[in-house]
Amino acid sequence: MVTGTDATVRRLYEEPPDGFVAARAAAIEEARRSGDRDAAKRLAALKKPTVAAWVVNLLALHRPDLIDELVELSAALRSAQRDLHGDQLRELSNQRRQFVSALVAAARKLAVKAGATTTKLPLAEVEATLTAALAEPEIAEQVRTGRLIRAATYAGFGEVPRPRLRLVTDEPAGSPSEPAATSEPISPFDPEPEGTEPARLSARERAAADQRKREQERRRRELDRELTAAMAAEHRADAQLERAEAAERDAGHLVEDLDAELAELERRRTEAVADVARRKLARRTAEREAAAARRQVGDVQAALDDLES
């Protein structure tokens, strides 16, 4: 059952974030005036969403059918991954990318319709949140509520290049898997017989060439390992950067919230000080009126005493 407070919460998360704090303060004040302390407390606990979270919330609130499809696709992807259906997984992955792009486009239209400027929309964060929702059921359920307060990211490894593998055997050197260097046949036109100095030089050159080839292969394997490690480090660094940027944005939003709350408290303090001044003036006026009344009582009492005497 949808209550009046639920409708208010929905309205708050539909409005652009820059007006969230003021709208929340007005809703809390209205709830207090109506005597609904529970509603006021519930509204006070609401957090201001980031712009990316707001855009995703618009999609969840105005196009719940698309979010339902997202949840269904998420379940299908997880099932395919568990069952290791390669063809199905590739097809669903393509469908996932296309579907996320369509969701981002729909969310963008809703945000522009709500008054947002296209150039300032963090669509990359919106896409990351929707991708995370496809990978994590908990994030998908949070998206479905329409009350996200920050963007989400998926911490999985994603698709990485497949390393080049080589077959390693325990056959000794000189076996068919690695033919040993042999001497080239000597041309019948070569006047020098086998075993002469030029033949020995040719054998040494071939041995040196084989050695260089083995060194190149070894170096290539080392570079392959270094590349794999560097790519993993790059992924970790990118993830750390995303977390740092998200933390910075959250801190900035917290400062904005606190500034707005301080401004609201200062306004209420000013009103309270003015109210104290008015009440002090009323008290002084009442004191003067009470003193005048007491004097009048004394005068009347004195007149009565004179009359009786």
Side-chain angles (χ1 to χ4, degrees), residues 98-301:
Q98 296 172 2
F99 186 60
V100 169
S101 298
L103 290 179
V104 172
R108 174 185 171 278
K109 290 181 181 179
L110 291 171
V112 171
K113 185 177 180 180
T117 303
T118 306
T119 56
K120 294 184 178 180
L121 289 177
L123 297 181
E125 294 182 39
V126 174
E127 181 178 358
T129 300
L130 295 172
T131 301
L134 280 172
E136 297 288 348
E138 293 181 359
I139 297 178
E141 290 302 322
Q142 292 173 10
V143 167
R144 178 178 272 175
T145 65
R147 298 179 187 177
L148 286 182
I149 59 175
R150 61 177 59 87
T153 55
Y154 177 48
F157 291 104
E159 297 178 358
V160 297
R162 179 174 299 175
R164 292 190 294 271
L165 302 178
R166 291 185 178 85
L167 179 63
V168 178
T169 67
D170 56 358
E171 296 178 359
S175 64
S177 61
E178 187 178 351
T182 58
S183 300
E184 295 179 358
I186 298 177
S187 170
F189 300 100
D190 191 341
E192 298 184 74
E194 182 178 0
T196 61
E197 186 63 23
R200 288 195 296 272
L201 290 175
S202 177
R204 284 197 295 270
E205 289 174 357
R206 287 195 299 272
D210 289 341
Q211 180 64 25
R212 287 194 298 270
K213 182 178 179 180
R214 287 193 293 271
E215 287 295 328
Q216 290 174 353
E217 289 293 330
R218 182 186 62 79
R219 182 55 178 162
R220 184 165 59 182
R221 288 194 294 270
E222 291 178 353
L223 291 176
D224 285 342
R225 290 193 293 269
E226 292 177 6
L227 177 60
T228 301
M231 292 176 63
E234 180 186 21
H235 176 79
R236 292 192 297 269
D238 288 342
Q240 184 177 4
L241 176 60
E242 290 180 1
R243 291 193 294 269
E245 290 176 344
E248 180 184 8
R249 287 192 298 270
D250 291 344
H253 292 312
L254 178 60
V255 171
E256 293 175 0
D257 287 349
L258 291 175
D259 287 341
E261 292 175 4
L262 285 174
E264 175 64 16
L265 290 173
E266 184 62 29
R267 181 189 65 80
R268 293 171 59 184
R269 179 182 179 278
T270 302
E271 291 180 353
V273 169
D275 187 56
V276 168
R278 288 193 296 270
R279 294 179 184 276
K280 182 180 293 185
L281 179 60
R283 177 182 59 79
R284 291 175 178 174
T285 300
E287 287 177 349
R288 289 194 297 269
E289 291 177 352
R294 283 194 293 272
R295 286 194 299 271
Q296 185 177 7
V297 168
D299 293 342
V300 172
Q301 186 65 45

